[in-house]
Amino acid sequence: MFDILVYLFETYAQPCAFPKMEALARKLSAVGFEEEDISAALEWLSGLESLGERGLHDGFGAAAQRVYCAVETAKLPVECRSFLYFLENAGAINSMLREMIVESAMALRETSVPLDRLKIIVLMVLWSQHQAMD
């Protein structure tokens, strides 16, 4: 699934530039991706799209601190949570984007999300929200 997400990022300048999901599935299949991975990636992208449409708002103050529940700490190891903390303190993401990233990571079927995969999730969330990526 993550190979597909990276492929989409590299192939399309903006998420709105890729075709509708059915046509995208056919294109991904033609490129050689497995049907199971395509389904998982498109399902995850749909969830990401709905997060953006729901309009999570950045209603937290600058001094707010994120406390992760037990399920989140089990799925997001300390290096992942530290990375999110670093990004937020560096001003690369705000609390709204952090929550989108956490929700997107929690939506994965995996029991634990390694840091390299979280970095791809961060990239995809920023890309989907048309955020600057330095």
Side-chain angles (χ1 to χ4, degrees):
M1 178 183 107
F2 283 92
D3 291 337
I4 293 172
L5 296 177
V6 171
Y7 173 81
L8 292 175
F9 175 78
E10 291 175 346
T11 305
Y12 299 100
Q14 297 294 328
C16 57
F18 56 74
K20 299 284 184 208
M21 292 296 182
E22 301 82 30
L24 183 58
R26 285 190 302 275
K27 278 187 164 207
L28 292 171
S29 182
V31 173
F33 290 110
E34 303 272 334
E35 291 300 321
E36 184 178 326
D37 291 335
I38 293 170
S39 295
L42 295 182
E43 180 182 322
W44 187 84
L45 284 170
S46 292
L48 182 58
E49 185 179 318
S50 71
L51 276 178
E53 289 172 357
R54 275 195 325 212
L56 289 175
H57 58 86
D58 192 17
F60 305 109
Q65 184 175 12
R66 174 64 153 89
V67 177
Y68 293 88
C69 71
V71 175
E72 292 170 334
T73 58
K75 194 157 192 167
L76 296 171
V78 69
E79 60 268 10
C80 290
R81 297 188 313 268
S82 297
F83 181 65
L84 291 174
Y85 180 76
F86 165 77
L87 289 176
E88 196 168 359
N89 281 333
I93 63 173
N94 58 27
S95 57
M96 177 200 66
L97 290 170
R98 180 200 60 224
E99 291 306 309
M100 288 182 74
I101 293 164
V102 170
E103 283 196 39
S104 296
M106 296 303 292
L108 295 176
R109 296 177 184 155
E110 301 173 15
T111 57
S112 180
V113 179
L115 182 57
D116 61 334
R117 296 220 170 154
L118 182 73
K119 288 179 179 180
I120 294 171
I121 292 169
V122 169
L123 183 68
M124 295 306 292
V125 168
L126 292 175
W127 179 66
S128 74
Q129 296 300 304
H130 309 284
Q131 298 292 314
M133 289 180 270
D134 294 332

